[in-house]
Amino acid sequence: MSEYILELDHISKSFPGVKALDDVHFKLEKGQIHALMGENGAGKSTFIKIITGVYQPDAGEIRINGKPTMIRNPIDSQKQGIAAIYQHVTCFPDLSVTENIFIGHETINRITRKIDWKTLNGKAGEWLEKLDADFYPQTIMGTLSVAQQQIVEIAKALSANARILIMDEPTAPLSKRETEDLYRTVENLRNHGVSIIFISHRLEDMYRLASSVTILRDGRYIGTWELDKISQDDIVKAMVGREITQFFPPRHAKIGGEVLRVEKLSRTGYFKDVSFTVNKGEIVGLTGLVGAGRTEVCEAIYGVNPPDEGSVYIEGKQVQNRHASKAIEEGIGYLPEDRLKQGLVLDWQLSRNITLASLRRFEKKGFMDDSKEREVTKTLGEKLEVKATSVYDKVATLSGGNQQKVIVAKLLTGDMKVIILDEPTKGVDVGAKTAIYKIMNDLAQEGYGILMVSSEMPEVLGMCDRVVVMREGRVSAVLDARKTSQQEILEASMVLYRGKQEDGQERKAQE
Amino acid sequence: MSERTIQTEKPWSWKNFFFQWEWFLIALLIGINIFNSFLTPYYFTADTFLSTPMNFLDKAFLVFPMMMIIVLGNIDVSVGSIIALSSVIMAVSYNAGLPMPAAMVLCLIVSTTCGLINGLLQAKFKELSSTIVTISTQIIYRGIAYIILEDKASGKFPSWFSFLGWGYVGNVPFITIVFVVFTIIFAILIHRTRFGRQLFAMGNNSTACRYSGIKTENMLVSVSTIMGFMAGITALFLTSRMGSTRPNVASGYELDVIAMVVLGGVSTAGGKGRITGPLLAIFIIGFLNYGLGLFNISAQVLLIILGVLLIVSVMLQNLRFDKRRQKSGVVSK
């Protein structure tokens, strides 16, 4: 019998246009806590989905207890004793803890053919006791805290005889004390022989819990290390360590005066005291880990989700954006993160999509001026090199990159001063990426101030003049893009608790 | 600059031209008229086509604003109650001594306010569906009408008031002229203005509209208010034709009107439709009703025919759209 409970060998998985995983290895010992690390988009999610049977690998082998195994679907994975607990707990908030634990595998009384709640409640109680829970099986799930809900999720996994537990950023939503409790629970599980794959952005979690770490980068396997033999710096280097490829066009824009200033912007639960500036002709990157509050800040500036406190200045003049229409009037354009839902009317032709944000400009004596609309659309479309044959083409038929260009064109129909681009290259292919970078450069040269939200380090370093890094809703660093490094940005975006006094105090203050 | 050019001419294809819902409606309308002509001699005269519509055009005023509401992806089932309430208030206030022109204005004010309330409720409480909001106000508005007049009739309007519903200008009924005017206004509003463009955009993707700076709440309120105003116009013509009013007038109007809009090819999912469809549907249902009346068939049978017609038309439209989607490669979510 093998000493590894789970082995993945040469696993590859491609999606149209992207190689999500490329020859990845992973070995999990019995009773081991094994950390999995990587930047956003490094392939961690795909990796989990392959283990849990959501995706099938294109190549490679999965062995469980040394036996090659096919995991065709999530049910297969469950039968093999694999369970996953996600950052955002997926539960039924209106049902009781017992119902949540045993949903799908309730015990049925042989005679009455009814669900045997008495037994189930008893069993649930046993699990909760083992996990040191401070609530009862009959408690309604929705009334529990996130940490308590995680306990229920763990109980649910154990009740289904899970031997391999995947925990995806379980500490992210927890307070310091809850995190400590979770550590104890996880260690307790390990001592009972459960093997755990632990995914976290917090280096602290890893050093506290795990014995080994496997690092992925851009879908590739970088290596596995014993944690007592690798330093934090080396981990960060391993996560980042790649060359910036040369497809970023050279920048010539002249940087002028301030065009956007944000002061102490706060929205409860999302971000706090966010301040930064963007100058004319400047490209400022807004980066940080997913969930750091970047999109929320942009939406606050743009007025779709107004901030609770703080002020926004355009060319030194304070503006009150309670609605996107006001922001557009003031010269703020926003390319939303989810282009299909927030940016486009998919069933509509090119021209109508482009004019949607500035319909007033295409009116003549109260009527829509269709010929002006067509002409302006044609000019903008050709300028941005949208690959369409006619202004009547439906945007649904265009590729992701071209759809993105359509939204940029939409911003250009108005009199914009600042353009906010939220993950402009997300889900577009490499060619289209280069085209979008070129457009950004051209716009900066024309004197627009550009704020780009991006999770991709090379993009941030290659395109931006300055980088604003956010961590857990606050600005943690403003860096000069020419002088900084991926490592510095990543350190500023991760929670390190290393020599960072103010952080430690803050944590203490919260407790 | 790229060598690539983007065409601005509309691509023309015979298939798209003939593949339009309106052709089906026109065929249906002609079919019904041919059927009617067997029932009565001298059917195909100018008089038939000028006077018959007087019987059903009062309802038709509601069709275009209802189309706007359905294009938004919403629905309004309170119109019948708005008509009843505004009509009752007009009759009662006239009989209490208010001059008739002032009472008519009051009727429009009441109906417009009712529509405004519908709109505000929907804009403020986004978690409520338009169905729930208007079912509630449907009950409330008619309830108020019953409280004001109890289960009685009120009328005795001045004789000139009947001109609205019964009068002719030359050979043409007055109501027809008003209808034509409103049709032109709504056709322009829906298909040629910024307002109309925003309407269709919201029906397709309300979130994208919010991100594009369109004031979606204002749109909801405006459309409901217009619906209320047109309900008031209907109340005027309906009351004039009947000569008196009761709290139970116009019950069931909302369903007839929604049926006309849907038969006209306006998608209940929102965002799609052309005003020509509901316009034809008004006459299809109107003439069908008239023909069955000539044949002495009861109104209940008409309801059955209407129901079948609706199911068939929605079915046909969906078949058509699915085929198109598959061709253009759009994956519906």
Side-chain angles (χ1 to χ4, degrees), chain B residues 54-97:
Chain B
M54 285 178 86
N55 299 311
F56 56 77
L57 278 184
D58 56 337
K59 228 176 267 183
F61 292 120
L62 303 167
V63 170
F64 302 133
M66 185 65 87
M67 174 187 167
M68 303 205 304
I69 284 177
I70 291 179
V71 164
L72 279 182
N74 291 340
I75 209 150
D76 186 338
V77 294
S78 72
V79 281
S81 297
I82 297 180
I83 294 169
L85 180 59
S86 49
S87 166
V88 161
I89 287 181
M90 172 172 71
V92 169
S93 59
Y94 169 71
N95 286 313

Short mmCIF file of all heavy atoms in Angstrom, two decimals, chain B residues 54-97:
data_model
loop_
_atom_site.label_atom_id
_atom_site.label_comp_id
_atom_site.label_asym_id
_atom_site.label_seq_id
_atom_site.Cartn_x
_atom_site.Cartn_y
_atom_site.Cartn_z
N MET B 54 -65.24 51.50 -33.52
CA MET B 54 -65.74 52.27 -32.37
C MET B 54 -66.03 51.36 -31.19
O MET B 54 -65.94 51.77 -30.03
CB MET B 54 -67.04 52.99 -32.74
CG MET B 54 -66.85 54.21 -33.61
SD MET B 54 -68.41 54.94 -34.02
CE MET B 54 -68.69 56.00 -32.62
N ASN B 55 -66.39 50.10 -31.50
CA ASN B 55 -66.76 49.18 -30.43
C ASN B 55 -65.58 48.73 -29.57
O ASN B 55 -65.77 48.32 -28.45
CB ASN B 55 -67.41 47.93 -31.03
CG ASN B 55 -68.66 48.29 -31.77
OD1 ASN B 55 -69.51 49.00 -31.25
ND2 ASN B 55 -68.76 47.84 -33.02
N PHE B 56 -64.39 48.79 -30.15
CA PHE B 56 -63.29 48.23 -29.36
C PHE B 56 -62.11 49.18 -29.19
O PHE B 56 -61.14 48.85 -28.52
CB PHE B 56 -62.81 46.89 -29.94
CG PHE B 56 -62.40 46.93 -31.39
CD1 PHE B 56 -61.17 47.45 -31.76
CD2 PHE B 56 -63.24 46.43 -32.37
CE1 PHE B 56 -60.79 47.48 -33.09
CE2 PHE B 56 -62.86 46.45 -33.70
CZ PHE B 56 -61.64 46.98 -34.06
N LEU B 57 -62.18 50.38 -29.76
CA LEU B 57 -60.99 51.23 -29.69
C LEU B 57 -60.72 51.80 -28.30
O LEU B 57 -59.61 52.21 -28.00
CB LEU B 57 -61.08 52.37 -30.71
CG LEU B 57 -60.66 51.95 -32.12
CD1 LEU B 57 -60.68 53.15 -33.05
CD2 LEU B 57 -59.29 51.30 -32.13
N ASP B 58 -61.76 51.87 -27.43
CA ASP B 58 -61.50 52.39 -26.08
C ASP B 58 -60.40 51.59 -25.40
O ASP B 58 -59.48 52.13 -24.80
CB ASP B 58 -62.79 52.41 -25.24
CG ASP B 58 -63.43 51.03 -25.17
OD1 ASP B 58 -63.16 50.20 -26.07
OD2 ASP B 58 -64.17 50.77 -24.21
N LYS B 59 -60.46 50.26 -25.54
CA LYS B 59 -59.45 49.39 -24.97
C LYS B 59 -58.08 49.61 -25.62
O LYS B 59 -57.05 49.47 -25.00
CB LYS B 59 -59.87 47.94 -25.21
CG LYS B 59 -59.79 47.06 -24.02
CD LYS B 59 -60.32 45.68 -24.35
CE LYS B 59 -61.79 45.55 -24.01
NZ LYS B 59 -62.31 44.19 -24.27
N ALA B 60 -58.15 49.98 -26.91
CA ALA B 60 -56.91 50.05 -27.68
C ALA B 60 -55.95 51.12 -27.17
O ALA B 60 -54.74 51.01 -27.36
CB ALA B 60 -57.23 50.31 -29.15
N PHE B 61 -56.49 52.15 -26.49
CA PHE B 61 -55.60 53.19 -25.97
C PHE B 61 -54.60 52.62 -24.97
O PHE B 61 -53.54 53.19 -24.74
CB PHE B 61 -56.41 54.29 -25.27
CG PHE B 61 -57.24 55.09 -26.21
CD1 PHE B 61 -58.61 55.14 -26.07
CD2 PHE B 61 -56.64 55.80 -27.24
CE1 PHE B 61 -59.38 55.87 -26.95
CE2 PHE B 61 -57.42 56.54 -28.12
CZ PHE B 61 -58.79 56.57 -27.97
N LEU B 62 -54.97 51.51 -24.35
CA LEU B 62 -54.11 50.93 -23.31
C LEU B 62 -53.00 50.06 -23.90
O LEU B 62 -52.03 49.74 -23.21
CB LEU B 62 -54.95 50.06 -22.37
CG LEU B 62 -56.10 50.77 -21.68
CD1 LEU B 62 -57.03 49.76 -21.05
CD2 LEU B 62 -55.57 51.73 -20.64
N VAL B 63 -53.17 49.68 -25.17
CA VAL B 63 -52.27 48.66 -25.71
C VAL B 63 -50.83 49.16 -25.82
O VAL B 63 -49.89 48.45 -25.45
CB VAL B 63 -52.79 48.16 -27.08
CG1 VAL B 63 -51.75 47.29 -27.77
CG2 VAL B 63 -54.07 47.37 -26.87
N PHE B 64 -50.66 50.41 -26.29
CA PHE B 64 -49.29 50.88 -26.49
C PHE B 64 -48.53 51.10 -25.17
O PHE B 64 -47.38 50.69 -25.06
CB PHE B 64 -49.28 52.13 -27.38
CG PHE B 64 -49.93 51.87 -28.71
CD1 PHE B 64 -50.85 52.74 -29.24
CD2 PHE B 64 -49.62 50.72 -29.42
CE1 PHE B 64 -51.46 52.48 -30.46
CE2 PHE B 64 -50.22 50.45 -30.64
CZ PHE B 64 -51.15 51.34 -31.17
N PRO B 65 -49.15 51.77 -24.19
CA PRO B 65 -48.40 51.86 -22.92
C PRO B 65 -48.16 50.49 -22.30
O PRO B 65 -47.11 50.25 -21.71
CB PRO B 65 -49.30 52.71 -22.03
CG PRO B 65 -50.60 52.79 -22.70
CD PRO B 65 -50.36 52.59 -24.16
N MET B 66 -49.13 49.56 -22.47
CA MET B 66 -48.91 48.21 -21.94
C MET B 66 -47.74 47.56 -22.67
O MET B 66 -46.94 46.84 -22.07
CB MET B 66 -50.18 47.36 -22.11
CG MET B 66 -50.06 45.99 -21.48
SD MET B 66 -49.87 46.05 -19.68
CE MET B 66 -51.58 46.08 -19.16
N MET B 67 -47.63 47.85 -23.95
CA MET B 67 -46.48 47.32 -24.70
C MET B 67 -45.18 47.84 -24.08
O MET B 67 -44.23 47.07 -23.90
CB MET B 67 -46.57 47.74 -26.16
CG MET B 67 -45.33 47.35 -26.94
SD MET B 67 -45.34 48.01 -28.62
CE MET B 67 -43.64 47.72 -29.09
N MET B 68 -45.15 49.11 -23.72
CA MET B 68 -43.92 49.66 -23.13
C MET B 68 -43.58 48.95 -21.83
O MET B 68 -42.42 48.63 -21.55
CB MET B 68 -44.08 51.17 -22.87
CG MET B 68 -44.43 51.94 -24.11
SD MET B 68 -43.96 53.68 -24.10
CE MET B 68 -44.73 54.31 -22.69
N ILE B 69 -44.63 48.67 -21.03
CA ILE B 69 -44.40 47.99 -19.76
C ILE B 69 -43.88 46.58 -20.00
O ILE B 69 -42.95 46.12 -19.33
CB ILE B 69 -45.70 47.99 -18.93
CG1 ILE B 69 -45.90 49.39 -18.34
CG2 ILE B 69 -45.63 46.95 -17.81
CD1 ILE B 69 -47.17 49.57 -17.56
N ILE B 70 -44.46 45.89 -20.98
CA ILE B 70 -44.02 44.52 -21.25
C ILE B 70 -42.63 44.52 -21.87
O ILE B 70 -41.83 43.62 -21.60
CB ILE B 70 -45.07 43.79 -22.12
CG1 ILE B 70 -46.33 43.57 -21.28
CG2 ILE B 70 -44.54 42.46 -22.63
CD1 ILE B 70 -47.46 42.89 -21.99
N VAL B 71 -42.31 45.52 -22.66
CA VAL B 71 -40.95 45.61 -23.21
C VAL B 71 -39.94 45.73 -22.07
O VAL B 71 -38.84 45.18 -22.12
CB VAL B 71 -40.82 46.80 -24.18
CG1 VAL B 71 -39.36 47.14 -24.44
CG2 VAL B 71 -41.50 46.48 -25.50
N LEU B 72 -40.32 46.42 -21.00
CA LEU B 72 -39.44 46.51 -19.83
C LEU B 72 -39.30 45.17 -19.11
O LEU B 72 -38.49 45.03 -18.20
CB LEU B 72 -39.98 47.53 -18.83
CG LEU B 72 -39.70 49.00 -19.08
CD1 LEU B 72 -40.27 49.84 -17.96
CD2 LEU B 72 -38.21 49.26 -19.21
N GLY B 73 -40.14 44.22 -19.48
CA GLY B 73 -40.12 42.93 -18.80
C GLY B 73 -41.08 42.90 -17.63
O GLY B 73 -41.06 41.96 -16.85
N ASN B 74 -41.91 43.92 -17.50
CA ASN B 74 -42.87 43.98 -16.40
C ASN B 74 -44.28 43.70 -16.90
O ASN B 74 -44.49 43.37 -18.05
CB ASN B 74 -42.83 45.36 -15.74
CG ASN B 74 -41.54 45.58 -15.00
OD1 ASN B 74 -40.84 44.63 -14.67
ND2 ASN B 74 -41.21 46.82 -14.75
N ILE B 75 -45.23 43.89 -16.00
CA ILE B 75 -46.62 43.70 -16.37
C ILE B 75 -47.45 44.61 -15.47
O ILE B 75 -47.01 45.00 -14.40
CB ILE B 75 -47.01 42.21 -16.22
CG1 ILE B 75 -48.10 41.86 -17.21
CG2 ILE B 75 -47.40 41.87 -14.81
CD1 ILE B 75 -48.06 40.44 -17.66
N ASP B 76 -48.62 45.01 -15.95
CA ASP B 76 -49.49 45.88 -15.14
C ASP B 76 -50.91 45.34 -15.23
O ASP B 76 -51.52 45.38 -16.28
CB ASP B 76 -49.43 47.31 -15.66
CG ASP B 76 -50.19 48.27 -14.76
OD1 ASP B 76 -51.07 47.80 -14.01
OD2 ASP B 76 -49.92 49.48 -14.82
N VAL B 77 -51.39 44.80 -14.11
CA VAL B 77 -52.74 44.25 -14.13
C VAL B 77 -53.73 45.17 -13.42
O VAL B 77 -54.87 44.80 -13.19
CB VAL B 77 -52.79 42.84 -13.48
CG1 VAL B 77 -52.01 41.86 -14.32
CG2 VAL B 77 -52.30 42.87 -12.07
N SER B 78 -53.29 46.39 -13.11
CA SER B 78 -54.17 47.28 -12.36
C SER B 78 -54.93 48.25 -13.26
O SER B 78 -55.72 49.04 -12.77
CB SER B 78 -53.37 48.06 -11.31
OG SER B 78 -52.57 49.02 -11.95
N VAL B 79 -54.71 48.21 -14.58
CA VAL B 79 -55.31 49.25 -15.44
C VAL B 79 -56.83 49.26 -15.37
O VAL B 79 -57.44 50.34 -15.33
CB VAL B 79 -54.87 49.13 -16.92
CG1 VAL B 79 -53.51 49.72 -17.10
CG2 VAL B 79 -54.91 47.69 -17.39
N GLY B 80 -57.45 48.09 -15.34
CA GLY B 80 -58.91 48.05 -15.28
C GLY B 80 -59.41 48.80 -14.05
O GLY B 80 -60.37 49.59 -14.12
N SER B 81 -58.74 48.60 -12.92
CA SER B 81 -59.14 49.26 -11.68
C SER B 81 -58.91 50.76 -11.76
O SER B 81 -59.70 51.55 -11.22
CB SER B 81 -58.36 48.69 -10.50
OG SER B 81 -58.66 47.33 -10.35
N ILE B 82 -57.82 51.16 -12.41
CA ILE B 82 -57.55 52.60 -12.56
C ILE B 82 -58.67 53.25 -13.35
O ILE B 82 -59.17 54.33 -13.00
CB ILE B 82 -56.19 52.84 -13.24
CG1 ILE B 82 -55.05 52.30 -12.38
CG2 ILE B 82 -55.98 54.33 -13.50
CD1 ILE B 82 -53.67 52.49 -12.97
N ILE B 83 -59.09 52.57 -14.43
CA ILE B 83 -60.19 53.10 -15.24
C ILE B 83 -61.44 53.26 -14.37
O ILE B 83 -62.09 54.32 -14.37
CB ILE B 83 -60.49 52.16 -16.43
CG1 ILE B 83 -59.29 52.15 -17.38
CG2 ILE B 83 -61.76 52.58 -17.16
CD1 ILE B 83 -59.37 51.07 -18.44
N ALA B 84 -61.75 52.22 -13.61
CA ALA B 84 -62.96 52.27 -12.79
C ALA B 84 -62.89 53.42 -11.79
O ALA B 84 -63.83 54.22 -11.66
CB ALA B 84 -63.14 50.94 -12.05
N LEU B 85 -61.75 53.54 -11.10
CA LEU B 85 -61.62 54.58 -10.07
C LEU B 85 -61.73 55.97 -10.67
O LEU B 85 -62.48 56.82 -10.18
CB LEU B 85 -60.29 54.41 -9.34
CG LEU B 85 -60.00 55.44 -8.24
CD1 LEU B 85 -61.07 55.39 -7.16
CD2 LEU B 85 -58.63 55.19 -7.62
N SER B 86 -60.99 56.22 -11.76
CA SER B 86 -61.00 57.57 -12.32
C SER B 86 -62.37 57.89 -12.91
O SER B 86 -62.86 59.02 -12.79
CB SER B 86 -59.89 57.73 -13.36
OG SER B 86 -59.91 56.68 -14.28
N SER B 87 -63.00 56.88 -13.52
CA SER B 87 -64.33 57.10 -14.08
C SER B 87 -65.35 57.41 -12.98
O SER B 87 -66.16 58.34 -13.10
CB SER B 87 -64.74 55.85 -14.86
OG SER B 87 -66.11 55.88 -15.16
N VAL B 88 -65.28 56.67 -11.89
CA VAL B 88 -66.21 56.87 -10.78
C VAL B 88 -66.02 58.25 -10.16
O VAL B 88 -66.98 58.98 -9.90
CB VAL B 88 -66.03 55.76 -9.72
CG1 VAL B 88 -66.62 56.17 -8.38
CG2 VAL B 88 -66.66 54.46 -10.21
N ILE B 89 -64.74 58.63 -9.97
CA ILE B 89 -64.49 59.95 -9.37
C ILE B 89 -64.99 61.06 -10.28
O ILE B 89 -65.58 62.04 -9.82
CB ILE B 89 -62.98 60.10 -9.06
CG1 ILE B 89 -62.62 59.22 -7.86
CG2 ILE B 89 -62.63 61.56 -8.77
CD1 ILE B 89 -61.19 59.30 -7.43
N MET B 90 -64.82 60.87 -11.57
CA MET B 90 -65.32 61.88 -12.51
C MET B 90 -66.84 62.01 -12.38
O MET B 90 -67.37 63.12 -12.25
CB MET B 90 -64.95 61.50 -13.95
CG MET B 90 -65.59 62.38 -15.01
SD MET B 90 -64.95 62.05 -16.66
CE MET B 90 -65.66 60.44 -16.98
N ALA B 91 -67.55 60.89 -12.40
CA ALA B 91 -69.01 60.92 -12.35
C ALA B 91 -69.50 61.52 -11.02
O ALA B 91 -70.37 62.40 -11.01
CB ALA B 91 -69.56 59.50 -12.50
N VAL B 92 -68.89 61.11 -9.95
CA VAL B 92 -69.34 61.59 -8.64
C VAL B 92 -69.06 63.08 -8.47
O VAL B 92 -69.91 63.84 -8.02
CB VAL B 92 -68.66 60.77 -7.51
CG1 VAL B 92 -68.90 61.41 -6.15
CG2 VAL B 92 -69.17 59.35 -7.52
N SER B 93 -67.88 63.50 -8.92
CA SER B 93 -67.55 64.92 -8.74
C SER B 93 -68.42 65.79 -9.64
O SER B 93 -68.82 66.90 -9.27
CB SER B 93 -66.07 65.17 -9.01
OG SER B 93 -65.76 64.77 -10.32
N TYR B 94 -68.78 65.28 -10.84
CA TYR B 94 -69.67 66.05 -11.71
C TYR B 94 -71.05 66.18 -11.06
O TYR B 94 -71.63 67.26 -10.99
CB TYR B 94 -69.80 65.39 -13.08
CG TYR B 94 -70.90 66.00 -13.92
CD1 TYR B 94 -70.77 67.28 -14.46
CD2 TYR B 94 -72.09 65.30 -14.16
CE1 TYR B 94 -71.78 67.86 -15.20
CE2 TYR B 94 -73.10 65.87 -14.91
CZ TYR B 94 -72.95 67.15 -15.43
OH TYR B 94 -73.96 67.71 -16.17
N ASN B 95 -71.54 65.08 -10.54
CA ASN B 95 -72.86 65.11 -9.91
C ASN B 95 -72.85 65.90 -8.60
O ASN B 95 -73.90 66.33 -8.13
CB ASN B 95 -73.36 63.69 -9.67
CG ASN B 95 -73.80 63.06 -10.99
OD1 ASN B 95 -74.53 63.68 -11.77
ND2 ASN B 95 -73.34 61.85 -11.26
N ALA B 96 -71.66 66.12 -8.05
CA ALA B 96 -71.56 66.94 -6.84
C ALA B 96 -71.42 68.42 -7.20
O ALA B 96 -71.26 69.25 -6.31
CB ALA B 96 -70.37 66.49 -6.00
N GLY B 97 -71.41 68.74 -8.48
CA GLY B 97 -71.44 70.14 -8.86
C GLY B 97 -70.22 70.64 -9.62
O GLY B 97 -70.18 71.78 -10.06
#
